[in-house]
Amino acid sequence: MDPIKDYLESTVSLFHTYKSLGEKALAQVPEEKLFWQFNEDSNSMATLVKHLSGNMHSRWTNFLTTDGEKPWRKRDEEFENDIKNRREMMQEWEKGWKLLFDVLDSLSEEDFEKTVYIQNKAHTVMDAINRQLAHYASHVGQLIYLGKMLVDGPWKSLSIPKGQSKTFNKG
């Protein structure tokens, strides 16, 4: 039994789960609705994707050697609703997730003894990973919530559909 390896496998699996849930939510929404905002202070689905990608690039680029808040990051620009189409949005989505998975796949057990910094605050590698997992899960939840509001017609449940718990539990 290797606790670090088990933790990393579990975490990677959870990141894949949240990536998949986000993709299933985004796929159900018509392209023109990906850019809808409730008001000026809220984010569209496309803007959330842009922010996630920007955060992933900042946090996971040189994860072990530089502060996770990169000086080249333009966080405020991540919240500008300027992605042009679904293709561009999904390219941003994939670039961010690819970087995350490449870094996680490259980590060794020895790396977990290191300290990493995010916004000049020291974190264990495990804490930094957990921080990002929680952050991304919260935004994927926002994508799902927005998706349910924006889909015309029935929403394809991403888990157990309403009223189907007994049927699911029998299986």
Side-chain angles (χ1 to χ4, degrees):
M1 189 168 183
D2 183 347
I4 296 293
K5 182 180 178 209
D6 294 344
Y7 165 79
L8 199 50
E9 286 176 5
S10 174
T11 305
V12 168
S13 177
L14 284 169
F15 277 119
H16 277 290
T17 296
Y18 288 114
K19 180 180 187 283
S20 176
L21 288 170
E23 289 168 352
K24 289 175 183 175
L26 291 164
Q28 292 187 59
V29 176
E31 183 166 359
E32 66 278 2
K33 292 188 177 184
L34 295 170
F35 312 99
W36 177 85
Q37 291 176 250
F38 178 74
N39 60 34
E40 247 183 73
D41 292 326
S42 63
N43 296 310
S44 70
M45 293 179 86
T47 298
L48 288 169
V49 167
K50 185 178 172 187
H51 167 61
L52 279 166
S53 183
N55 179 278
M56 289 174 181
H57 279 87
S58 186
R59 296 295 184 265
W60 300 103
T61 299
N62 302 319
F63 173 64
L64 296 170
T65 58
T66 63
D67 191 298
E69 189 62 30
K70 304 296 185 280
W72 45 256
R73 183 179 184 198
K74 296 179 177 150
R75 186 179 180 279
D76 290 338
E77 291 179 16
E78 294 168 14
F79 296 99
E80 294 173 7
N81 198 11
D82 60 358
I83 290 180
K84 308 268 186 295
N85 54 50
R86 182 186 300 274
R87 182 188 55 74
E88 182 181 332
M89 180 190 71
M90 293 310 295
Q91 285 174 338
E92 283 298 310
W93 175 263
E94 288 299 332
K95 285 191 303 188
W97 286 103
K98 181 180 182 334
L99 179 59
L100 175 149
F101 290 123
D102 286 349
V103 170
L104 292 180
D105 289 345
S106 74
L107 292 178
S108 68
E109 193 166 322
E110 296 77 35
D111 291 330
F112 281 80
E113 297 170 13
K114 297 177 181 175
T115 299
V116 297
Y117 291 85
I118 301 172
Q119 298 169 332
N120 294 314
K121 183 179 176 196
H123 293 70
T124 66
V125 167
M126 194 176 291
D127 284 340
I129 293 170
N130 289 342
R131 175 182 168 143
Q132 296 317 116
L133 180 62
H135 182 205
Y136 304 157
S138 71
H139 285 310
V140 168
Q142 290 175 314
L143 291 172
I144 294 167
Y145 185 73
L146 281 168
K148 285 181 175 185
M149 291 191 311
L150 295 171
V151 167
D152 294 326
W155 174 259
K156 294 178 198 126
S157 178
L158 306 181
S159 60
I160 303 168
K162 284 183 182 180
Q164 299 297 313
S165 294
K166 286 183 182 180
T167 304
F168 179 82
N169 289 334
K170 286 181 185 177

